[in-house]
Amino acid sequence: MSAREQLLKTQALLRLEKEADQEQYRQKVLQRPLHARVKEGVTWYPVRLKSDYIGTGERIIVELERATHLEQPHAFQSGKVVSVFSNAQSKPQRDYQTGVVNYVRDNLMVITLNGEDLTDWIDGGSLGIDVMFDEVSYREMDYALKKVIEAEENRVAELREVMLGDAGYSVRDAGGQIPSIQHPLSSVLNDSQQKALQKIIDTHDVAFIHGPPGTGKTTTLVEAILHTVKNEGQVLVCAPSNAAIDLLVEKLSDRKLSVLRLGHPARVTEQSLSKTLDARIAEHSHFGELRALRKKLEQVKAQAGKYKRNYGHAQRTERALLREEAKQLKSDADMLEFYITNDLLQSSDVIACTLVGSAHQTLRGRKFKTLFIDEAGQSLEPASWIPILKAHRVIFAGDHHQLPPTIKSIDAARQGLEKTLFEKGIARHPEKSSMLQVQYRMHEAIMKFSSDYFYEKGLIAHESVKKELLRPSQPPIEFIDTAGCGYNEEQDPETLSRLNKEEGNLVMQLVEKLIEEIGPEAWLDEKITMAIITPYRAQVDYLHTLAEASPVLEPLHKLISINTVDAFQGQERDVIVISFVRSNEKAEVGFLNDIRRTNVAMTRAKKKLIMIGDSATLGAHPFYTKLLEYVQEGGFYRSAFEV
């Protein structure tokens, strides 16, 4: 298929994805009665207004608290679009106001409301909060695809052909706009990182940093951005998630770069809040003048609003004059804000935002010589094209052997939407890709299986980690086989998620035994970290219940995390414990079929990796057969009967 035909197919798959996403939202929220939505975790009701105040960028922030204490999982998280509603029976229709979640903690949710005023009904009780469907992201992705498909004889058309057209197609230095950079390479990088940096320096169109787990992808990317800023003055940096972009904002700020973070303040971490456009406007030397204009505008509007219907000629004239004055004040305030915003954009070394966030109105019409996309292995292709529309050349950084983008439509994923631009680009232009080789996280035995299976035996454990064990008596890997134990999985009838209670009990037994062997005091003193990872939400919930009842784990709860695989990408722990869950007569592995998730789970471990699973079920899949062979050859295998 030609590049345009591929993009038309991607556009059709995006429509499928949107329909699946909308249908899930409809079934979970719109079609369910209130009590069912509350039980499902997509609605909080009832809630009460705990406090309200003006936050960053003069935005209204409300703190809402659940009236009843519930431990169940829910769909609310930082950055989600929500609707705060009043369910008061006296009203003919339900009042609501939209906003964005800042953070959720226990039974408290902090929300930045959209709009300039706090509604009067918010004090009237019967309040609730619904998760909302995010229409904007799909609109921006579809618009970007349309622009790329239509592009002719311009830079976007050239980049389209480089990424998706003839594999031999490459763009030459277009009129010297991207000259070859002659900087001494960074002293903080190893040889494979230096080669990646050199490839970035030399490219005139695209380059790929392939960063397997623990190989210092972020370090390399930061150095590359520093070099590029020195040469070009400014770069655009994007990532698919707010968490990923905020991590980069923090690292770049540490290197004394001036970073402007675009995006809703509610979606930004506390560390990055001072870098947001709203916060930077408030710090600008002309902000006092802008604030005075806005205050005067509100006063004039209030004066004009005092005149009711029954008034004479003099009052009518007075109101017309006040309205004209308000119009002029608003124009002056808008003009001053535009000037301040442009001043901040011009003076920043790095403009940072999510992929969809690069459609921000402040960037309309702006072009950048270089765009960096981090976590490109998780970046949905239509979203990646949004910032590419503004770029002359693109540097991708990621790992397509780790977590893929989250896709709701199984059909869309199967037909290719799951395949990222990063993965397509590396396959098409291997000569433009550099894989980082030295990993600084794991014991060499933990690293070796992933290195052999996913990275063509290309990874090398750095001397500082290759022999690091939790204790000399502790092996780096243990695989505990539950085959023959009768630990059968079950399905949660409501969520349809899987769990395996007997395996969960064994996991907790092994964790408690390990802590007691090390000694709880030593565990605390050395701040040893552990994550218990499982692919299934129902198993996460069950493990949480067991952990809360464990007197051994209780004093260490700040050092031990329990969650799904997706929550741990980019993180690391001293000890990783994996519960595979699946155990059935049909040898169905289900969700475990996505072996990239297992790669992520295994490679979070620094000093010890414990895996618990049923070899009779897992062994039906070639990947897990290889894993079982590896643990047996290394002497890391034990039957659950031996524990």
Side-chain angles (χ1 to χ4, degrees):
M1 283 196 289
S2 70
R4 278 196 173 100
E5 286 169 338
Q6 290 176 62
L7 287 161
L8 285 166
K9 183 185 176 185
T10 301
Q11 202 172 27
L13 295 180
L14 185 65
R15 283 194 286 273
L16 270 184
E17 172 65 4
K18 183 184 176 184
E19 285 165 14
D21 202 357
Q22 276 180 319
E23 181 58 25
Q24 279 191 26
Y25 175 73
R26 198 167 61 83
Q27 288 179 4
K28 280 188 171 181
V29 181
L30 300 183
Q31 290 189 331
R32 308 290 297 276
L34 185 58
H35 69 90
R37 300 203 310 269
V38 171
K39 194 174 180 184
E40 186 76 26
V42 293
T43 297
W44 276 19
Y45 184 86
V47 298
R48 69 177 185 87
L49 180 67
K50 192 177 179 187
S51 68
D52 63 90
Y53 52 92
I54 303 297
T56 307
E58 307 289 298
R59 295 171 189 254
I60 299 164
I61 295 177
V62 292
E63 292 187 3
L64 296 162
E65 189 173 48
R66 262 197 295 205
T68 50
H69 187 80
L70 295 169
E71 291 290 347
Q72 80 208 49
H74 55 73
F76 296 95
Q77 61 189 48
S78 174
K80 280 275 189 186
V81 180
V82 294
S83 169
V84 179
F85 65 85
S86 170
N87 208 39
Q89 307 239 329
S90 57
K91 301 263 185 173
Q93 62 183 53
R94 197 174 81 164
D95 291 310
Y96 70 93
Q97 187 167 4
T98 61
V100 177
V101 177
N102 289 44
Y103 69 86
V104 186
R105 189 176 300 142
D106 299 325
N107 286 293
L108 183 74
M109 196 183 308
V110 178
I111 300 168
T112 300
L113 294 177
N114 297 326
E116 295 177 3
D117 301 307
L118 192 64
T119 56
D120 53 1
W121 50 259
I122 205 155
D123 290 315
S126 302
L127 299 179
I129 312 163
D130 278 335
V131 170
M132 286 189 71
F133 180 72
D134 184 13
E135 182 89 35
V136 176
S137 297
Y138 287 103
R139 190 166 63 239
E140 295 295 354
M141 287 190 282
D142 187 66
Y143 177 80
L145 286 172
K146 188 169 174 247
K147 283 291 180 190
V148 179
I149 291 164
E150 291 172 352
E152 281 188 40
E153 296 183 4
N154 60 15
R155 189 58 177 179
V156 174
E158 290 178 336
L159 289 172
R160 178 190 67 212
E161 297 307 318
V162 169
M163 294 300 301
L164 301 173
D166 177 12
Y169 189 98
S170 186
V171 180
R172 293 183 182 178
D173 181 3
Q177 288 184 52
I178 303 287
S180 185
I181 308 167
Q182 299 303 319
H183 281 304
L185 293 181
S186 172
S187 58
V188 305
L189 302 182
N190 64 41
D191 285 350
S192 67
Q193 292 170 332
Q194 299 266 21
K195 283 177 186 169
L197 179 53
Q198 190 63 60
K199 195 148 279 190
I200 290 165
I201 288 167
D202 291 343
T203 191
H204 299 299
D205 41 49
V206 296
F208 306 89
I209 303 173
H210 182 193
T215 54
K217 169 179 67 68
T218 303
T219 302
T220 310
L221 194 59
V222 166
E223 289 298 308
I225 291 168
L226 277 163
H227 271 271
T228 311
V229 167
K230 279 180 190 172
N231 183 69
E232 298 172 6
Q234 189 180 75
V235 297
L236 178 61
V237 178
C238 295
S241 69
N242 285 290
I245 199 65
D246 283 337
L247 174 65
L248 265 179
V249 167
E250 197 180 324
K251 301 283 185 190
L252 292 166
S253 300
D254 288 346
R255 297 301 296 273
K256 308 302 179 199
L257 287 177
S258 170
V259 184
L260 182 64
R261 169 70 161 98
L262 298 182
H264 197 295
R267 293 190 168 102
V268 175
T269 61
E270 208 171 316
Q271 292 88 338
S272 296
L273 202 55
S274 63
K275 313 293 187 303
T276 59
L277 181 59
D278 284 358
R280 295 278 297 277
I281 286 172
E283 290 170 358
H284 196 274
S285 57
H286 288 285
F287 180 67
E289 194 181 331
L290 178 61
R291 198 170 198 172
L293 276 170
R294 284 178 177 162
K295 191 175 179 182
K296 177 73 172 164
L297 171 62
E298 290 307 311
Q299 288 170 345
V300 172
K301 277 166 70 179
Q303 276 180 279
K306 282 193 300 186
Y307 295 105
K308 305 301 178 190
R309 287 184 181 179
N310 301 318
Y311 53 79
H313 176 72
Q315 287 92 341
R316 190 178 289 112
T317 305
E318 178 68 13
R319 189 179 76 155
L321 287 169
L322 286 167
R323 283 185 166 175
E324 188 57 40
E325 186 182 355
K327 189 177 174 185
Q328 187 58 51
L329 284 166
K330 187 178 185 311
S331 175
D332 291 348
D334 289 347
M335 188 69 76
L336 183 55
E337 187 170 349
F338 178 76
Y339 163 75
I340 293 171
T341 301
N342 272 299
D343 187 42
L344 291 169
L345 284 166
Q346 295 287 81
S347 60
S348 297
D349 301 321
V350 177
I351 310 297
C353 53
T354 60
L355 297 168
V356 174
S358 65
H360 198 284
Q361 59 183 18
T362 57
L363 294 185
R364 294 223 171 110
R366 282 191 172 263
K367 297 288 181 185
F368 297 85
K369 288 182 180 177
T370 303
L371 159 69
F372 288 87
I373 299 180
D374 193 17
E375 297 298 353
Q378 279 190 284
S379 303
L380 205 60
E381 181 185 336
S384 297
W385 284 113
I386 300 172
I388 293 173
L389 289 171
K390 303 174 188 304
H392 184 84
R393 64 176 194 148
V394 190
I395 312 302
F396 297 86
D399 180 11
H400 49 298
H401 298 306
Q402 294 189 60
L403 291 181
T406 302
I407 311 245
K408 304 279 175 68
S409 166
I410 295 166
D411 281 350
R414 281 180 184 154
Q415 291 183 58
L417 190 62
E418 194 176 67
K419 204 161 189 182
T420 62
L421 214 45
F422 177 78
E423 192 174 351
K424 290 177 181 179
I426 280 188
R428 204 166 278 271
H429 295 288
E431 78 288 353
K432 293 178 180 291
S433 168
S434 285
M435 189 179 89
L436 309 180
Q437 292 179 294
V438 182
Q439 69 82 18
Y440 298 87
R441 176 183 295 160
M442 295 162 266
H443 186 283
E444 61 184 350
I446 299 171
M447 173 201 78
K448 190 173 186 307
F449 179 74
S450 281
S451 176
D452 291 355
Y453 196 93
F454 292 101
Y455 305 107
E456 299 176 354
K457 303 183 178 181
L459 299 186
I460 303 155
H462 190 262
E463 288 298 322
S464 62
V465 298
K466 69 186 291 186
K467 301 293 182 187
E468 277 288 296
L469 294 166
L470 200 57
R471 291 289 186 271
S473 61
Q474 290 288 337
I477 301 174
E478 289 183 63
F479 188 100
I480 311 300
D481 188 0
T482 64
C485 294
Y487 291 0
N488 291 324
E489 67 187 70
E490 53 188 284
Q491 192 169 33
D492 185 303
E494 285 196 15
T495 65
L496 304 181
S497 183
R498 307 270 170 175
L499 73 156
N500 190 322
K501 289 181 179 177
E502 291 92 345
E503 183 177 293
N505 296 336
L506 178 61
V507 166
M508 207 50 59
Q509 180 189 325
L510 290 164
V511 166
E512 289 179 340
K513 185 181 174 187
L514 177 64
I515 291 167
E516 284 168 343
E517 282 175 10
I518 301 295
E521 296 81 12
W523 198 284
L524 271 170
D525 290 345
E526 296 171 35
K527 293 185 170 59
I528 297 168
T529 56
M530 176 193 284
I532 304 171
I533 300 178
T534 178
Y536 294 95
R537 172 52 65 184
Q539 187 78 341
V540 168
D541 296 340
Y542 184 66
L543 289 166
H544 268 297
T545 305
L546 295 178
E548 284 164 12
S550 168
V552 178
L553 269 65
E554 199 280 326
L556 310 174
H557 69 276
K558 288 185 179 174
L559 297 167
I560 298 173
S561 315
I562 304 171
N563 217 323
T564 57
V565 183
D566 297 48
F568 287 102
Q569 171 132 346
Q571 299 186 45
E572 60 187 27
R573 299 289 191 275
D574 295 311
V575 183
I576 291 290
V577 182
I578 303 173
S579 170
F580 285 116
V581 177
R582 299 310 294 255
S583 179
N584 55 73
E585 290 179 4
K586 294 180 181 177
E588 291 175 345
V589 296
F591 204 42
L592 297 176
N593 197 48
D594 188 347
I595 58 175
R596 290 171 293 187
R597 277 191 162 77
T598 306
N599 183 38
V600 169
M602 292 166 64
T603 55
R604 303 306 95 199
K606 292 165 73 176
K607 299 174 183 177
K608 188 170 182 72
L609 171 64
I610 303 172
M611 296 174 279
I612 301 99
D614 178 359
S615 65
T617 299
L618 297 175
H621 191 288
F623 170 81
Y624 296 100
T625 302
K626 289 278 186 191
L627 177 59
L628 288 161
E629 286 170 4
Y630 177 74
V631 294
Q632 284 169 336
E633 286 166 12
F636 305 132
Y637 173 92
R638 278 195 296 160
S639 167
F641 294 110
E642 300 171 52
V643 176

